[in-house]
Amino acid sequence: MLFTETDPPSTATPRLTGVERAVGSARHQDTYGTRLVPGGVDTVVHAPHATAVEFCLLDGEGEQATERRFRLLVGEHGRWHGHIPGVGPGQRYGLRVHGPWDPAHGHFHNPHKLLADPYARAIVGSLDLVPAVYGHVVDDRLRPVPGQDGRDERDSAPHVPHGVIVDDHFDDEPVQHPDTPWGRTVIYEAHVRGLTQRLPGVPEHLRGTYAGLAHPTTVAHLRDLGVTAVELLPIHAKVTEPALTERGVVNYWGYNTLGYFAPEPAYATQASQAAGPAAVLAEVKGMVKLLHEAGIEVILDVVYNHTCEGGTDGPLLSWRGLDNVGYYLHDGAGHSRYLDVTGCGNSLDFRNQHVVRMTLDSLRYWAAEVGVDGFRFDLAVTMGRKGTTFLPDHPFLVALACDPVLGGRKLIAEPWDLGPGGWRTGQFTAPVAEWNDRYRDVLRTFWISDAAATVNGGHGHDLRDLATRLAGSADMFAQSPVPGGRGPIASLNFVTAHDGFTLRDLVSYDHKHNELNGEDNRDGTDNNRSWNHGVEGETDEAEILAHRRRTMRNILGTMMVSAGVPMITAGDEFGRTQHGNNNAYCHDDESVWVDWDLADWQHELRATTAHLLTLRRQNRVLRPARFRPFDPRSFRSRPALAWFDEHGATMSLERWHDVNRRVLQMFRGGERADERDALIVINGAANPVPVTLSSDGPEFYELVWDSAWEHPDERPGSATVPAGTTLEVPELSMRIYLQA
């Protein structure tokens, strides 16, 4: 759901038909939210500083809109509860909260504002950017009016989204999770709309929807590529920030949540939207089911670090009007200012048990009821904060790991936020995996920025950090009370993601080009470690294009032989471009949707990506799941991991530290008798280099991939060579050899 200014919002306030007391108490007063029960609904709301809470039923539209209010009963520990008779599925509702208005002490109760139930299973309607949606008095430019710091008394009900009562029963078989082991997992990050909005083969009415994502054409692409899990950008119900609406753009990515239990209805088909929230939810569940049948897991990118309400000068939509003091992290004891560690205006306070409980309840709902297989936690450090301090053993993180529903799901942290000490890669604990930004930066540095320096007569970095990332980042993931730590599978290896350059743009632009975002190109990172290979942006110079394609293949090849879990951003498998925009969060158009009209070279790159993933899947030696020291009792005398220079000699200390050395051989020994050994040869130099294949492994090797090949079919008929053979490896390229 987005802010809308296309149609003038109705100014009609719902006609109040009466205020009644809730009939009796809720049956389960310790279970928050609103649920169907025989004869109506039970509701439990957390509002500890309120003096009264009203459960409001909304019917009709425009001049015919009506509202009935039911006063809830006060319970223990800040709970308000009640049974509302005669209410069934499809009923729109909201909450009105009476209590102190004292912003200086953190209280923003305003009964003139209709609030969304934080536990609503569905949310409908859009948010109109008008003064009435603010709890405080604002002018026509939505700025606070000096000297008027009291409550705004205009009714927000006509202008805000409403919760909807939903029968969330799904008439189908119980969820069967694929449960792909981490060691075999390949993640594909995608946006529900952006992936299929332009995908031929998906019917027009299904494009850009949950149903379109599970369409056989989409599934066929994912399976043919070798993907085992899709990681979807947020699908929780959302709104767009006022600042974006004022610029005429939208929040496309979705990191601005209004409902943690409600799916975003805009990604459903028009038929489901017309049929109502139950149909939208059924479409989401159907998507998960169909992907599971294809052996593909569903991981949701979730945003529990902040909400859509922004700073204290933002709209009053839900949590702030219920318990601002408890839900949000504040700077100091006075609760007058937020401590914003997310850069989004507010941060949820995970010292508060109700924040922890709401988050766990939401996660369990999506895992147990909707059937998803895991979660990627945006700005996860916020969820482990005790004020300004991050705790790896924070109560929320411990509860998450121990939860019988969630502990066995795939849990992925974005291990940083914008607060004090916010960079925490490698500091979470099992069973959480982490986005490895060190891996991203090192691969970009070696294959792109250092390569640019080398081509231009300079030098880059030595080989130590590259080897560490290839081997699974033991410096970050081997440390644990358990021997071997979390292992390399705790490292989510990526080079691109939704934020930042696409793979193609990474090799096509030296600088970001975010002018269309409306922020004078100030937004988005400047630390891109990119290289345009001689011309900024699009070009028809064949030599430059060939170098760019090889660099992309080098990055994809390195990812697929690195210990850890690879993540591909949708479209990178065939070189999608965003024309240099490295922060395309505010566009919902062809500039960000995946373009499936592929040139010949893009078909070749897609075939290369699929070939690399096939090699990884078929050869366990390319995807070690643990840090394996040398074992003298092993059936083989060869080590699990060894490093050699271009002469086939063991890497010396001097060579590891030499910034002019750009050639490295990585040997991996199979763990079992039926596994082939592997030898990876990397030439990061700007010139061809004679390389002597290490003799410390098997007697013969088979060349199974060379990044100099535009297509895997370029493999020569006889690709078997003896160990110890000296071969010329082209400049800025890599090869994968397997035991013959």
Side-chain angles (χ1 to χ4, degrees), residues 62 91 103 448 544:
Q91 174 68 58
I448 301 177
I544 289 177

Side-chain angles (χ1 to χ4, degrees), residues 471-737:
S473 298
D475 57 333
M476 292 186 288
F477 301 110
Q479 310 305 316
S480 169
V482 179
R486 285 179 285 165
I489 55 176
S491 174
L492 205 74
N493 295 336
F494 72 107
V495 176
T496 66
H498 64 275
D499 52 345
F501 279 145
T502 66
L503 181 59
R504 178 174 169 182
D505 290 354
L506 200 58
V507 302
S508 303
Y509 295 90
D510 280 354
H511 309 287
K512 66 187 181 185
H513 294 270
N514 298 355
E515 290 82 5
L516 291 179
N517 294 357
E519 299 181 51
D520 297 323
N521 207 33
R522 295 188 305 269
D523 63 305
T525 182
D526 293 310
N527 182 27
N528 296 297
R529 306 180 191 224
S530 59
W531 177 32
N532 64 20
H533 289 74
V535 174
E536 187 76 353
E538 296 301 310
T539 181
D540 56 4
E541 294 189 32
E543 185 176 0
I544 289 177
L545 292 173
H547 285 309
R548 288 177 177 179
R549 293 195 297 270
R550 183 180 293 185
T551 302
M552 287 190 281
R553 293 192 297 270
N554 286 334
I555 290 172
L556 289 167
T558 307
M559 286 178 62
M560 301 317 161
V561 299
S562 298
V565 179
M567 184 185 81
I568 303 169
T569 305
D572 275 355
E573 69 270 26
F574 47 72
R576 178 178 78 94
T577 181
Q578 290 181 167
H579 308 288
N581 193 329
N582 75 352
N583 192 37
Y585 71 104
C586 58
H587 303 284
D588 187 2
D589 54 32
E590 292 187 353
S591 69
V592 293
W593 300 334
V594 176
D595 184 359
W596 297 86
D597 184 13
L598 307 183
D600 289 344
W601 72 266
Q602 291 180 291
H603 286 288
E604 293 172 342
L605 186 59
R606 179 166 64 177
T608 294
T609 307
H611 177 68
L612 289 166
L613 286 171
T614 297
L615 290 174
R616 182 181 178 89
R617 181 174 64 254
Q618 293 178 347
N619 297 277
R620 198 160 71 109
V621 70
L622 298 179
R623 46 181 175 84
R626 61 191 181 97
F627 298 117
R628 187 160 58 96
F630 175 70
D631 184 356
R633 298 167 297 177
S634 172
F635 68 95
R636 291 178 174 176
S637 59
R638 295 191 290 272
L641 180 67
W643 306 95
F644 305 97
D645 62 18
E646 64 267 35
H647 306 296
T650 299
M651 285 287 289
S652 64
L653 186 63
E654 293 77 12
R655 287 180 181 268
W656 278 122
H657 287 79
D658 188 346
V659 295
N660 293 305
R661 295 288 175 181
R662 297 276 294 167
V663 179
L664 183 65
Q665 297 187 67
M666 176 179 70
F667 172 82
R668 280 222 195 100
E671 189 170 355
R672 300 184 309 209
D674 60 347
E675 291 181 19
R676 303 164 78 182
D677 295 338
L679 184 69
I680 313 302
V681 179
I682 293 175
N683 178 16
N687 55 277
V689 176
V691 175
T692 301
L693 302 184
S694 169
S695 299
D696 286 14
E699 294 183 16
F700 293 92
Y701 284 108
E702 177 188 3
L703 177 63
V704 295
W705 184 70
D706 189 330
S707 71
W709 302 341
E710 294 278 359
H711 192 285
D713 289 348
E714 293 181 26
R715 178 186 176 193
S718 177
T720 301
V721 294
T725 300
T726 300
L727 302 165
E728 186 172 84
V729 178
E731 71 279 6
L732 297 173
S733 69
M734 65 175 293
R735 292 176 173 177
I736 303 174
Y737 291 92

Side-chain angles (χ1 to χ4, degrees), residues 333-379:
H335 300 103
S336 61
R337 299 188 310 275
Y338 286 160
L339 178 59
D340 179 12
V341 298
T342 66
C344 300
N346 65 62
S347 308
L348 286 171
D349 188 352
F350 278 81
R351 297 173 299 183
N352 185 286
Q353 62 174 285
H354 296 286
V355 172
V356 171
R357 178 166 183 169
M358 177 188 69
T359 304
L360 292 173
D361 286 347
S362 170
L363 292 169
R364 290 190 200 101
Y365 174 74
W366 287 94
E369 299 298 326
V370 181
V372 304
D373 304 278
F375 304 92
R376 178 264 189 189
F377 297 99
D378 181 64
L379 300 181

